[in-house]
Amino acid sequence: MKESSDTPRDRVFCEAPEKQFEFDATVAAVFDDMLDRSIPYYRESLDLIVRLILSRKREELRLLDLGCSTARLLLEIARRCEGPARLRGIDNSPAMIDRARHKCAAFGAESIELIEADLLEYPIGGEDVVVANYTLQFIRPLERPTLVRRIYEGLREGGEFYFSEKVVFEDRRLDRAMIDIYYDYKRRQGYSDYEIAAKREALENVLIPFTIAENIRLCREAGFSRVDTLFQWANFVTFRAEKSQHP
């Protein structure tokens, strides 16, 4: 399900932000364009996750997308999945859920269940797959271990947790170089230096990234038996964690 070519263009930070970044109606309206132009290889990493999820044979796919935003991953799964599936998405932004519902209706995917809820409180259980793309980075660091542990406990044996995150590097010079490279990427996507700086200011203390090692340790300490990095471009990484099957 390809996004419509008339998706509104992201111009949110053409003017000075009046508040910290939040997923309100203004952001939701342009979020698909924001993802494509702000996250390098977003479509490719999403396609990789979808392909890996669907490569495993199940009687019924039970998938939960935490921070589902406009339901892009859920719609791709619904389009490509050949067997029965229970697909659910959770987001705490009413504007995102509203936009996701409109998109699902437009694509004839009303079977996707979309829930407006706090993902820190929503019960997780009986899932084959949990996805959290660029979601954990918006959770307070002290609360992430509890959430990832709940994800682990809510997965069936052999279940998978896919997540993507913006990361930082322990080497400060490398981290600075990666940031500069990323800003060059954003300029090539049509963002001005002013927009880049304004968004950085709005995200201060809202988006708090971990290192790759910290993300892996987060999953290991929650109980996951295996954690792999599937894709990386500079400071954007996609992970897969697996819950082992007991003999």
Side-chain angles (χ1 to χ4, degrees):
M1 293 174 185
K2 295 182 179 180
E3 299 299 327
S4 171
S5 59
D6 61 357
T7 298
R9 192 165 177 83
D10 174 21
R11 306 285 291 172
V12 172
F13 294 98
C14 286
E15 299 179 0
E18 298 178 355
K19 58 185 179 181
Q20 286 187 315
F21 183 88
E22 61 180 74
F23 295 99
D24 57 14
T26 301
V27 170
V30 300
F31 196 62
D32 290 323
D33 181 66
M34 183 182 288
L35 287 174
D36 286 333
R37 293 169 59 218
S38 298
I39 300 179
Y41 298 99
Y42 178 80
R43 291 181 183 231
E44 288 79 2
S45 62
L46 187 74
D47 177 71
L48 178 63
I49 292 172
V50 171
R51 286 175 179 269
L52 286 170
I53 289 171
L54 296 180
S55 68
R56 296 184 61 172
K57 303 300 181 183
R58 304 176 177 89
E59 292 184 2
E60 179 189 31
L61 171 63
R62 297 167 66 91
L63 182 148
L64 178 65
D65 188 357
L66 300 177
C68 65
S69 64
T70 65
R72 285 180 72 166
L73 177 131
L74 293 166
L75 284 166
E76 280 298 318
I77 293 287
R79 179 176 73 87
R80 301 192 210 180
C81 187
E82 296 181 351
R86 187 195 73 172
L87 307 178
R88 294 183 299 155
I90 299 172
D91 206 291
N92 66 354
S93 165
M96 287 292 186
I97 289 293
D98 182 64
R99 187 159 184 82
R101 285 175 176 153
H102 279 88
K103 287 175 62 178
C104 289
F107 285 115
E110 289 90 346
S111 62
I112 294 175
E113 184 180 357
L114 297 165
I115 305 151
E116 180 190 332
D118 184 344
L119 58 86
L120 293 174
E121 299 178 357
Y122 189 83
I124 303 172
E127 306 296 338
D128 297 304
V129 179
V130 174
V131 179
N133 275 328
Y134 301 102
T135 298
L136 295 182
Q137 61 196 26
F138 290 103
I139 303 297
R140 290 179 58 199
L142 290 176
E143 295 176 325
R144 288 181 210 180
T146 300
L147 174 59
V148 176
R149 180 67 186 180
R150 288 180 55 240
I151 291 170
Y152 173 80
E153 292 174 346
L155 283 166
R156 295 176 174 180
E157 290 184 7
E160 302 163 299
F161 173 38
Y162 291 89
F163 65 106
S164 300
E165 290 284 289
K166 189 175 183 180
V167 302
V168 292
F169 295 86
E170 294 178 1
D171 184 317
R172 291 188 178 182
R173 286 189 298 176
L174 177 60
D175 193 59
R176 183 67 257 174
M178 289 294 194
I179 291 171
D180 290 342
I181 290 169
Y182 172 54
Y183 289 166
D184 283 341
Y185 168 87
K186 294 193 74 172
R187 293 184 187 98
R188 294 196 301 272
Q189 303 307 309
Y191 288 111
S192 67
D193 286 343
Y194 182 87
E195 288 175 287
I196 293 169
K199 187 173 184 180
R200 181 178 66 239
E201 178 183 346
L203 284 169
E204 188 75 25
N205 297 320
V206 175
L207 189 163
I208 303 175
F210 282 178
T211 65
I212 292 175
E214 286 173 327
N215 278 296
I216 291 175
R217 184 165 60 249
L218 189 67
C219 293
R220 288 284 194 182
E221 292 179 350
F224 286 99
S225 58
R226 183 180 181 90
V227 187
D228 295 295
T229 57
L230 304 178
F231 181 90
Q232 179 176 357
W233 184 94
N235 49 350
F236 292 83
V237 183
T238 296
F239 301 84
R240 172 188 175 274
E242 183 176 7
K243 182 175 182 177
S244 64
Q245 299 187 41
H246 296 297

